[in-house]
Amino acid sequence: MTQAVQDMEQDWIHAAKAGDRQAFYLLYQKYHRRVYAIALRLLSDRAKAEDACQEVFVKVWQQLSWFRGDSSFATWLHSISTRTAVDLWRKDRESRRSTDEIPELASDEPVDHGDLEALIQRLPDQARAVFVLFALEGYQHNEIAALLGIAEGSSKSQYHRARQLLRGWLDENRTAAG
């Protein structure tokens, strides 16, 4: 990020802290796609990801006065986004399918099975959450265990399971294409 862009973002943050809704909207415009992507990867449902995104920005608006700038705004926002999506994932745990089930892709939804994002969405809920947090978001297994309320060993085994499933699906796609 160039210095001019950093300065502009700092101006937006300062103005938003003072209650400037337009400045906050500019921050929202800059970051909402990232927040949505994190939520979608974890929740595997567009409507829930949109709800999570909205909840994140409500929290950011409410907590912006506490942002001191010790880390970048993007890092602070990422932390709120991940924790919010994980909280919603945990609340929804009881109503989701068993973690032993592997969901089929909806037949009316055109998806390129070679697309890793689509394959990640096929993973069982807990394996997907662990895979996303470890492989894509950079959390360690002890952090994932604390976030998801599982044992560290379970985090490691779910990550291993996710990798095996993804490899298998990728191999199937290569075989089918070849």
Side-chain angles (χ1 to χ4, degrees):
M1 195 172 355
T2 68
Q3 187 61 42
V5 172
Q6 287 177 330
D7 291 345
M8 186 172 46
E9 182 175 293
Q10 288 304 314
D11 290 345
W12 295 343
I13 292 167
H14 183 71
K17 280 181 168 184
D20 185 333
R21 292 176 189 261
Q22 181 62 33
F24 185 77
Y25 179 73
L26 294 169
L27 289 168
Y28 169 82
Q29 285 296 102
K30 181 173 181 179
Y31 288 106
H32 80 277
R33 286 183 188 91
R34 282 189 205 174
V35 171
Y36 177 79
I38 292 167
L40 183 60
R41 284 182 178 139
L42 280 168
L43 300 170
S44 192
D45 180 283
R46 291 174 203 255
K48 290 177 185 175
E50 289 170 8
D51 289 346
C53 190
Q54 182 176 6
E55 189 170 328
V56 165
F57 282 101
V58 167
K59 286 179 180 180
V60 169
W61 177 254
Q62 293 169 340
Q63 298 173 11
L64 193 56
S65 63
W66 299 330
F67 175 68
R68 297 184 317 236
D70 295 339
S71 63
S72 73
F73 180 79
T75 301
W76 182 72
L77 178 62
H78 184 271
S79 176
I80 293 172
S81 301
T82 302
R83 292 188 184 281
T84 300
V86 166
D87 287 347
L88 292 172
W89 181 89
R90 290 175 76 187
K91 285 178 186 173
D92 198 36
R93 182 186 297 180
E94 290 77 35
S95 64
R96 287 191 317 264
R97 297 174 231 196
S98 162
T99 59
D100 294 328
E101 265 184 62
I102 299 173
E104 292 299 319
L105 295 174
S107 59
D108 60 339
E109 195 174 326
V111 176
D112 174 15
H113 292 285
D115 179 14
L116 185 56
E117 284 288 333
L119 294 177
I120 290 170
Q121 296 305 310
R122 287 186 64 196
L123 289 169
D125 291 327
Q126 192 164 344
R128 182 184 62 253
V130 170
F131 182 83
V132 167
L133 291 170
F134 185 82
L136 304 178
E137 301 299 328
Y139 285 82
Q140 298 301 310
H141 287 293
N142 60 333
E143 296 169 311
I144 296 167
L147 281 169
L148 301 183
I150 60 175
E152 186 175 341
S154 294
S155 176
K156 291 176 182 178
S157 67
Q158 288 295 325
Y159 177 71
H160 179 71
R161 180 177 186 212
R163 284 179 48 127
Q164 283 183 316
L165 287 169
L166 290 171
R167 277 191 186 129
W169 292 333
L170 288 169
D171 287 346
E172 286 174 16
N173 289 341
R174 283 189 206 114
T175 304

